[in-house]
Each structure stands twice: as C-alpha cells, then as structure tokens.
Amino acid sequence: MTEYFNWIKAAHIISMVCWFAAIFYLPRLFVYHAMSEDNISQQRFSIMERKLYRGIMTPAMIATWLFGLWMVILGWEVYKTQMWLHIKLTLVVILTAYHFACGYYRQQLMSNPQYKSHVFWRWFNEIPVFILIAVVILVVVKPF
C-alpha cells in the first residue's frame, strides 16, 4: 500500500458520511412531500429533493465508490481473501440500488405527490440504517 492510503481512506469516510447524510434526509423529504397539500409546498419539496439528490447525494456516492475502489485496488493482495470486504461491497451495491430507487421515486413524486403514503416513506427511510450498521460492523470488527 502507498503512503497516501490513509488520505484515501479519510476521503472515503468523508464522502461516505456525506452520502449517508443525504440518503437519510431525502426519504424524510419524501415524507413531507407526500403529506403536503398545496402546490407551493410540493414545488418547494421537488426543488429541495432535486438539489439534494443531484448536488450532494450523487456526487457523494460517486466519491465514495471512487475512493473505496482505489483502496481496494491498492490493497487487493490483502483484501481479496477477506470475506468481510466482499459482504461490505455487496451491501454497497444494494445501497447504490437504493440510491437509484430514490432517484426514481423523486421523479414519481414530482408528478404525483401522493404516489406513496408518508407511512411508506417512513419505512423506506429505515433501509439504509440497517446497511450502515452492518457496514460499520464489518469494517471495524471484521467478523469474517
């Protein structure tokens, strides 16, 4: 590994925190959007969702992937046999699918704010929490 590995790891963690912050907040905006009844509020939520998704969430996801893959490439000889990393990467792929589902749902909410109920969005918002818990345990404890 290189002398810059810890800098890459720091950048990976920073981008991951930004990604998760956005991925926790966007479905919360969906809750409020689904509960809004006036056109002005619905437009406001659409703008907020677009800016969060395009301006923070997607760039943070891309940075997380780039720095993470950079670390994996640098340490491949060590990482290739570590099952915790393979499970973590699977969870990151699932989180990425969740990310794109958020983008799809954002589009649906723009045209139909009652597309799903606020109760659905509250439950939908919990999915990344479980992924975060699992990823942190895998990375810190390395149980496999």
Side-chain angles (χ1 to χ4, degrees), residues 68-85:
L69 289 174
W70 193 358
M71 286 190 303
V72 168
I73 290 167
L74 289 175
W76 181 244
E77 287 305 312
V78 174
Y79 290 138
K80 69 182 177 185
T81 61
Q82 297 185 8
M83 184 55 74
W84 68 266
L85 179 67

Side-chain angles (χ1 to χ4, degrees), residues 11-22:
H12 177 66
I13 293 168
I14 291 165
S15 57
M16 180 273 302
V17 168
C18 293
W19 187 22
F20 267 100

Side-chain angles (χ1 to χ4, degrees), residues 7-129:
W7 286 103
I8 299 165
K9 187 189 304 184
H12 177 66
I13 293 168
I14 291 165
S15 57
M16 180 273 302
V17 168
C18 293
W19 187 22
F20 267 100
I23 221 163
F24 287 152
Y25 188 49
L26 185 62
R28 177 55 50 185
L29 288 176
F30 293 167
V31 170
Y32 302 139
H33 194 156
M35 292 174 64
S36 66
E37 296 178 2
D38 61 290
N39 195 30
I40 292 172
S41 294
Q42 291 166 0
Q43 288 176 354
R44 182 180 304 120
F45 285 118
S46 291
I47 291 167
M48 292 169 67
E49 292 158 1
R50 177 180 50 81
K51 287 182 176 185
L52 180 62
Y53 186 78
R54 290 185 183 171
I56 297 171
M57 196 164 141
T58 298
M61 177 195 66
I62 292 167
T64 301
W65 269 102
L66 289 175
F67 290 120
L69 289 174
W70 193 358
M71 286 190 303
V72 168
I73 290 167
L74 289 175
W76 181 244
E77 287 305 312
V78 174
Y79 290 138
K80 69 182 177 185
T81 61
Q82 297 185 8
M83 184 55 74
W84 68 266
L85 179 67
H86 298 277
I87 297 168
K88 176 198 172 195
L89 290 174
T90 301
L91 290 170
V92 173
V93 167
I94 292 168
L95 187 67
T96 302
Y98 180 92
H99 174 106
F100 288 117
C102 284
Y104 171 80
Y105 286 145
R106 186 183 70 77
Q107 293 290 333
Q108 297 305 309
L109 277 166
M110 284 176 25
S111 60
N112 180 7
Q114 282 71 43
Y115 171 69
K116 303 265 188 196
S117 75
H118 68 92
V119 175
F120 171 84
W121 299 120
R122 290 176 198 277
W123 283 103
F124 181 75
N125 194 36
E126 300 304 319
I127 295 168
V129 173

